[in-house]
Amino acid sequence: METRTADPAAEAPHGPATAVEAELPEAAGATTAASDRRDDLTGRLSDQLLGLSRRLHRAQRRRLDPLGITPAQARLLRALSHWDAHGAEPPRMADLAQRLEVVPRAVTTLVDALEERRLVRRAPDPSNRRVIRIQLTEGGRGAVQELRQARRTAAAEILSPLDDDGRAALTRLLAVLDQEEPEGTGAPH
């Protein structure tokens, strides 16, 4: 009679080490498939967000045209409105350039055009006459209100397929991506 030495690996070809090794390729395949699906979904979402952004810009531009205000001028007016609404000292050209992330010369061109239409005015700084500050005029404040209405109308057009719950859900999702608290949560801003 022959005596055999028990070799667990030889007797159990599907022992613990072999089972783990056998599962690795499947796990790697599942991980790769999940990663591919995530990449596909991310790519699709990116395309949708870019397309939606373009549609919104086109809709806003159509509504800005009758006002005679370019999108760049609208951005500058909104920036000035922000300073105005918070009771802050009117900005200098350099402040506006920094806020809008453009070169100062671009701000000069925008201010020139808006000043010609009497929507903004250059005013000397009371504490340093060498410094010029840019202020909204009453006409500029009225233009900002018209711009806000034009933007809301354009957004309402784009968002019309969504009901109030859908809009609230989209607002929450975009707030997460924008890293801010959704409106109405009571969280401090």
Side-chain angles (χ1 to χ4, degrees):
M1 187 168 190
E2 182 179 342
T3 330
R4 292 176 47 188
T5 313
D7 180 3
E11 288 182 8
H14 298 291
T18 308
V20 168
E21 289 169 4
E23 289 177 17
L24 284 177
E26 289 175 21
T31 301
T32 301
S35 179
D36 288 348
R37 280 191 303 273
R38 187 176 306 115
D39 286 349
D40 289 346
L41 187 58
T42 299
R44 181 169 181 234
L45 186 56
S46 174
D47 290 344
Q48 288 174 314
L49 288 171
L50 286 171
L52 187 60
S53 178
R54 286 184 188 121
R55 279 184 56 209
L56 184 58
H57 283 282
R58 280 192 306 268
Q60 287 178 1
R61 195 172 303 122
R62 280 193 311 271
R63 286 176 174 66
L64 290 178
D65 281 346
L67 302 176
I69 296 173
T70 67
Q73 291 170 346
R75 283 185 65 218
L76 187 133
L77 287 170
R78 284 194 311 271
L80 284 171
S81 175
H82 176 80
W83 264 283
D84 200 44
H86 290 90
E89 185 174 46
R92 300 169 300 141
M93 294 272 202
D95 300 328
L96 286 166
Q98 184 177 12
R99 169 86 181 237
L100 299 175
E101 298 178 348
V102 298
V103 296
R105 176 71 189 128
V107 172
T108 301
T109 302
L110 294 171
V111 169
D112 287 347
L114 293 170
E115 189 174 39
E116 187 176 305
R117 296 190 55 205
R118 293 186 169 92
L119 300 178
V120 302
R121 72 172 163 252
R122 289 174 167 92
D125 184 304
S127 62
N128 183 349
R129 293 186 330 162
R130 292 176 296 170
V131 174
I132 301 296
R133 301 220 172 250
I134 310 304
Q135 300 173 329
L136 278 176
T137 63
E138 284 306 312
R141 286 183 189 91
V144 168
Q145 291 305 315
E146 290 180 63
L147 291 171
R148 284 188 181 127
Q149 187 56 48
R151 290 181 73 191
R152 285 185 182 124
T153 302
E157 176 184 303
I158 300 296
L159 297 171
S160 64
L162 300 177
D163 63 11
D164 288 346
D165 291 339
R167 289 177 190 208
L170 181 59
T171 298
R172 285 190 300 274
L173 290 170
L174 292 175
V176 169
L177 295 177
D178 202 27
Q179 299 180 343
E180 68 181 41
E181 292 295 321
E183 240 180 84
T185 62
H189 291 283

